[in-house]
Coordinates of all heavy atoms in Angstrom, one line a residue:
L66 N -41.8 30.2 -35.9 CA -41.2 30.1 -37.2 C -41.4 28.7 -37.9 O -41.8 28.6 -39.0 CB -39.7 30.4 -37.2 CG -38.9 30.3 -38.5 CD1 -39.5 31.4 -39.5 CD2 -37.4 30.6 -38.3
E67 N -41.3 27.7 -37.1 CA -41.6 26.3 -37.6 C -43.0 26.2 -38.2 O -43.2 25.5 -39.2 CB -41.4 25.3 -36.5 CG -41.6 23.9 -36.9 CD -41.5 22.9 -35.8 OE1 -41.5 23.3 -34.6 OE2 -41.4 21.7 -36.1
A68 N -44.0 26.9 -37.5 CA -45.4 26.8 -38.0 C -45.5 27.7 -39.3 O -46.6 27.5 -39.9 CB -46.3 27.4 -36.9
H69 N -44.5 28.5 -39.6 CA -44.7 29.4 -40.8 C -43.7 29.0 -41.9 O -43.6 29.9 -42.8 CB -44.5 30.8 -40.3 CG -45.6 31.4 -39.5 ND1 -45.7 31.1 -38.1 CD2 -46.7 32.0 -39.8 CE1 -46.8 31.7 -37.7 NE2 -47.4 32.2 -38.7
V70 N -43.1 27.9 -41.8 CA -42.2 27.5 -42.9 C -42.7 26.1 -43.4 O -43.4 25.4 -42.7 CB -40.7 27.4 -42.5 CG1 -40.2 28.8 -42.2 CG2 -40.5 26.4 -41.4
D71 N -42.2 25.7 -44.6 CA -42.6 24.4 -45.1 C -41.9 23.4 -44.2 O -40.6 23.4 -44.0 CB -42.1 24.2 -46.5 CG -42.9 25.0 -47.5 OD1 -44.0 25.4 -47.2 OD2 -42.3 25.4 -48.5
G72 N -42.6 22.5 -43.6 CA -42.0 21.5 -42.7 C -41.3 20.4 -43.4 O -41.8 20.0 -44.5
N73 N -40.2 20.0 -42.9 CA -39.5 18.8 -43.5 C -38.7 18.1 -42.3 O -38.8 18.6 -41.2 CB -38.6 19.2 -44.7 CG -37.5 20.1 -44.3 OD1 -36.9 20.0 -43.2 ND2 -37.2 21.1 -45.1
A74 N -38.1 17.0 -42.6 CA -37.4 16.3 -41.6 C -36.3 17.1 -40.9 O -36.1 17.0 -39.7 CB -36.8 15.0 -42.2
L75 N -35.6 17.9 -41.7 CA -34.5 18.7 -41.1 C -35.0 19.8 -40.1 O -34.5 20.0 -39.1 CB -33.7 19.4 -42.2 CG -32.9 18.5 -43.1 CD1 -32.3 19.3 -44.3 CD2 -31.8 17.7 -42.4
V76 N -36.1 20.4 -40.5 CA -36.7 21.4 -39.6 C -37.2 20.8 -38.3 O -37.0 21.3 -37.2 CB -37.9 22.2 -40.3 CG1 -38.7 23.0 -39.3 CG2 -37.4 23.0 -41.4
R77 N -37.9 19.6 -38.5 CA -38.4 18.9 -37.3 C -37.2 18.4 -36.4 O -37.3 18.5 -35.2 CB -39.2 17.7 -37.7 CG -40.6 18.1 -38.2 CD -41.5 16.9 -38.4 NE -41.0 15.9 -39.4 CZ -41.2 16.1 -40.7 NH1 -41.9 17.2 -41.2 NH2 -40.7 15.2 -41.6
A154 N -31.1 22.9 -42.1 CA -32.6 23.1 -42.4 C -32.8 24.4 -43.2 O -33.6 24.4 -44.2 CB -33.4 23.1 -41.1

Side-chain angles (χ1 to χ4, degrees):
L66 181 58
E67 182 182 14
H69 290 83
V70 297
D71 293 333
N73 63 41
L75 292 175
V76 171
R77 285 188 298 277

